[in-house]
Amino acid sequence: MAMDSNGAVETAADVRREISSLEKAKAQIEDRISALQARLNSYGLEDGSEKTNCSAPPPAEDLFSGKLSADMIYRYSRHLLLPSFGVDAQANLLKSSVLVIGAGGLGSPALLYLAACGVGSVGIVDNDVVELNNLHRQIIHSEAYIGRSKVESAAAACRGINSTVQIVEHKEAFRTSNALEIMRKYDIVVDATDNVPSRYMISDCCVVLGKPLISGAALGLEGQLTVYNYNGGPCYRCLFPTPPPTTACQRCADSGVLGVVPGIIGCLQALEAIKVAGAVGEPLSGRMLLFDALSARIRVVKIRGRSSQCEACGENATLTEQQFCNFDYEKFTQTPLSTSPLKLQLLPPEARITSKEYNEINKKGEPHILIDVRPAHHYKIISLPNSLNIPLGSLEGGLPEISAALEVNKAGDNSRDSSLYVICRRGNDSQRAVDCLHKMGFTSAKDIIGGLESWAHDVDPKFPTY
Amino acid sequence: MKDTRVQEPCKYIPEKMVSEEEQKDHTSVKIKVLFFARARDLTGMTDMSLEVSPGATAHDCLNELISKFPGLEEIRNCMVLALNEEYTLESTVVKDRDELAIIPPISGG
């Protein structure tokens, strides 16, 4: 605690509040600058000049080689000095446009490099807002943007690095209803999404519109990268005509991901996009790069060519724009396009209690056993006091332990039977566990609706979430 | 298939020198299997060695793997199968010392 100049008592909370309010104001000013910069750039376009550094006087391009302005020569000099890249590839980059779908773990580094390297126009599609648990890997976003649109945040960061690049904001989810309209304007597409239906949708859209697709993915400690639909190469459906079962589809929010892994894959996506846009080197078409972070191994596997049987790009395939628009990707993959977690409804209401009800039971000191069925490494992060960790996968083996715990409680309080409650992270696995316990004879078992997330939301706001 | 796994000292013969006849003389073919992504979760391994009968195809190897790890059935229809770092059809006959990679797609980002 300290006294401020007015003699009032100032607390750490006051300082934090002030910092937070100043940061918000700063972000708003940055946004306005970005928007003005973009407007300024569009003046340049209307003048009929190239998309150049419009904050400077109109460059006297004709005086030089005719391709790059003086500012551009200086900014991109290290590219120009590369014999295998040079002025031609840089000029190709400046003329190209790249659409990055997803401004998350993969999109963050991809966007930063694409903006920095001088791609003429970069489009960003995302519908999410920045959250604190994104920041360990989604390095384009900063704390000041928490709670705000990822597209706005990413666009501001890109403009901050290179104001000569045209940044186009698409603050919407990529859906069949808007996909064609958005993608049509770009030369190259970068898939930086995080779910299966989007991957099929984006690949199909690229086939329909004839765009090369730079596809990257990362989960846990592994990453994958390939270029689809390029120079007669395969599309996503050629490789994976049948979508994976939902059990095989894992999300970073459930399985975890080491932040730098999508970072590496996202950088490689930028690299492949630059190669395709600059028309240099051998893009990773017909090959797939597999990155294994723990063993520090990168393998490149030759994958199949275009499949003549492919329903999207095969010989007899006639995927039209209309068919694409009518295709139900969520139904096809049995997975929702939105990343919101599953809300299972397995148990009847009488076999469930809310976190608030459980809190009451706990406060009254009613004898009970609380089983936490999350994996052990989740339990280590945070758990409720006096809970017993028996992961769902080893529930059957843990039955004697549950019986023993119930017996101990019974011995302590002869008058009543001990109740059995089950909790997990979000309230899905706890239902599966209770269902299983009922079948094993523990008919009184109940699950806590919404799991620890609802505990943190409804009972104890200080309880950590992850 | 399990009872055909006779342990025989594995002598190195350069690939080019092995004629079809000699291959048939081997009582078993030993390959290395690499697991990626979901296949690692399902098997709990990154790689393993697998012995199959001479003439066994990639398809046979997959069936053998699924019998060892029934969970792999989950990704049976959605994977890239690569033999010695190249795309392969399931009908391809595997040779001694081949490397078979099972690569299900990752969708996270």
Side-chain angles (χ1 to χ4, degrees):
Chain A
M1 248 182 246
M3 301 277 254
D4 71 9
S5 53
N6 298 327
V9 177
E10 183 191 69
T11 64
D14 292 331
V15 179
R16 271 191 219 107
R17 250 195 307 279
E18 192 170 351
I19 291 177
S20 150
S21 106
L22 285 172
E23 271 177 348
K24 273 204 185 105
K26 181 177 148 204
Q28 273 164 8
I29 291 171
E30 276 172 356
D31 269 3
R32 270 162 58 198
I33 295 174
S34 298
L36 288 170
Q37 201 78 59
R39 260 164 68 190
L40 199 56
N41 287 354
S42 70
Y43 281 119
L45 289 176
E46 279 166 22
D47 289 348
S49 62
E50 291 255 53
K51 294 167 195 166
T52 55
N53 191 345
C54 300
S55 52
E61 285 164 55
D62 300 339
L63 292 179
F64 307 114
S65 68
K67 275 189 167 161
L68 304 179
S69 67
D71 276 342
M72 283 177 169
I73 288 176
Y74 192 54
R75 184 190 278 267
Y76 305 118
S77 55
R78 271 54 176 172
H79 276 177
L80 308 180
L81 289 168
L82 279 171
S84 52
F85 200 84
V87 175
D88 291 336
Q90 186 65 46
N92 288 339
L93 273 192
L94 291 163
K95 277 183 286 187
S96 69
S97 55
V98 180
L99 178 67
V100 178
I101 308 175
L106 298 165
S108 288
L111 283 163
L112 290 171
Y113 271 108
L114 290 172
C117 78
V119 165
S121 162
V122 176
I124 314 170
V125 189
D126 206 308
N127 196 32
D128 267 356
V129 295
V130 179
E131 291 177 58
L132 181 63
N133 64 8
N134 297 151
L135 300 189
H136 86 292
R137 66 187 190 284
Q138 302 183 12
I139 54 165
I140 204 166
H141 310 299
S142 57
E143 288 181 2
Y145 276 93
I146 288 172
R148 300 178 57 203
S149 147
K150 281 190 184 177
V151 167
E152 275 176 36
S153 164
C158 288
R159 289 183 185 121
I161 289 173
N162 194 342
S163 61
T164 71
V165 169
Q166 194 194 354
I167 306 292
V168 186
E169 301 181 26
H170 302 280
K171 274 184 261 180
E172 51 197 318
F174 198 73
R175 300 281 165 128
T176 48
S177 53
N178 58 8
L180 291 161
E181 189 195 341
I182 294 175
M183 195 188 280
R184 209 186 299 276
K185 299 174 203 130
Y186 298 88
D187 303 325
I188 297 164
V189 178
V190 172
D191 183 347
T193 60
D194 60 358
N195 63 81
V196 179
S198 292
R199 293 190 179 274
Y200 280 97
M201 190 201 329
I202 292 166
S203 175
D204 285 356
C205 195
C206 284
V207 169
V208 169
L209 296 176
K211 313 280 184 190
L213 171 61
I214 320 292
S215 178
L219 186 84
L221 297 153
E222 284 179 89
Q224 295 177 348
L225 174 80
T226 188
V227 176
Y228 290 116
N229 200 42
Y230 180 69
N231 265 356
C235 76
Y236 193 71
R237 273 189 201 258
C238 294
L239 257 69
F240 307 110
T242 316
T246 48
T247 44
C249 306
Q250 296 161 297
R251 311 176 319 132
C252 295
D254 297 326
S255 310
V257 61
L258 192 71
V260 71
V261 174
I264 288 165
I265 299 298
C267 284
L268 289 171
Q269 285 182 281
L271 174 61
E272 290 305 311
I274 289 167
K275 280 157 64 182
V276 172
V280 293
E282 288 172 70
L284 194 71
S285 169
R287 295 178 290 156
M288 182 183 278
L289 183 146
L290 309 167
F291 174 61
D292 182 342
L294 267 199
S295 67
R297 279 199 182 87
I298 291 178
R299 285 170 198 270
V300 176
V301 173
K302 208 170 157 192
I303 52 177
R304 62 163 308 140
R306 178 160 285 188
S307 162
S308 59
Q309 314 294 315
C310 178
E311 285 185 24
C313 72
E315 274 159 19
N316 301 315
T318 49
L319 186 60
T320 62
E321 294 193 5
Q322 197 53 50
Q323 281 169 321
F324 168 77
C325 287
N326 294 335
F327 195 88
D328 188 337
Y329 288 91
E330 295 187 323
K331 199 172 150 201
F332 174 61
T333 59
Q334 301 278 300
T335 310
L337 277 159
S338 65
T339 50
S340 66
L342 172 85
K343 285 247 183 289
L344 192 70
Q345 289 287 355
L346 188 65
L347 299 176
E350 60 272 19
R352 316 194 69 188
I353 63 166
T354 65
S355 55
K356 280 182 177 165
E357 284 166 343
Y358 175 72
N359 188 38
E360 291 305 314
I361 290 163
N362 208 22
K363 278 203 284 196
K364 282 185 208 149
E366 288 181 25
H368 70 275
I369 300 293
L370 177 64
I371 299 171
D372 187 327
V373 291
R374 292 174 301 151
H377 68 285
H378 283 233
Y379 190 75
K380 267 190 190 166
I381 301 172
I382 184 71
S383 63
L384 283 175
N386 304 321
S387 60
L388 192 64
N389 183 215
I390 304 176
L392 182 62
S394 40
L395 192 61
E396 280 190 46
L399 292 179
E401 204 180 335
I402 298 171
S403 299
L406 287 170
E407 281 305 312
V408 169
N409 263 17
K410 216 174 178 178
D413 186 347
N414 278 321
S415 57
R416 281 181 291 185
D417 262 357
S418 224
S419 323
L420 184 57
Y421 300 108
V422 180
I423 198 163
C424 66
R425 184 177 174 194
R426 297 197 179 100
N428 292 327
D429 278 354
S430 58
Q431 293 186 67
R432 296 185 178 104
V434 165
D435 192 47
C436 176
L437 286 167
H438 285 178
K439 284 172 189 154
M440 301 292 169
F442 295 87
T443 49
S444 71
K446 291 182 182 186
D447 97 301
I448 297 174
I449 299 166
L452 291 170
E453 277 191 359
S454 85
W455 179 267
H457 190 263
D458 300 332
V459 178
D460 180 6
K462 288 204 187 100
F463 192 81
T465 54
Y466 58 94
Chain B
M1 195 154 285
K2 269 171 193 158
D3 16 47
T4 63
R5 276 187 286 149
V6 182
Q7 288 293 329
E8 196 191 47
C10 191
K11 48 187 177 183
Y12 178 72
I13 306 164
E15 223 173 272
K16 279 175 196 160
M17 291 170 64
V18 183
S19 70
E20 294 249 330
E21 293 298 316
E22 282 174 287
Q23 276 242 334
K24 277 176 195 158
D25 286 339
H26 282 214
T27 46
S28 72
V29 170
K30 201 185 221 174
I31 65 162
K32 187 177 184 187
V33 183
L34 303 174
F35 300 110
F36 292 91
R38 182 69 177 155
R40 288 189 178 178
D41 300 339
L42 294 169
T43 62
M45 287 189 225
T46 56
D47 58 81
M48 66 175 286
S49 72
L50 182 74
E51 280 189 56
V52 289
S53 320
T57 61
H59 180 86
D60 298 330
C61 295
L62 264 183
N63 285 344
E64 176 73 12
L65 287 168
I66 288 170
S67 73
K68 283 182 201 294
F69 306 102
L72 282 176
E73 186 67 47
E74 181 188 285
I75 52 165
R76 183 75 171 84
N77 295 317
C78 191
M79 60 163 79
V80 165
L81 200 60
L83 193 62
N84 304 322
E85 309 206 330
E86 288 208 18
Y87 164 73
T88 187
L89 293 169
E90 288 198 15
S91 57
T92 308
V93 174
V94 299
K95 303 186 303 299
D96 204 35
R97 289 164 184 279
D98 272 357
E99 203 176 62
L100 184 70
I102 292 174
I103 311 162
I106 299 178
S107 55

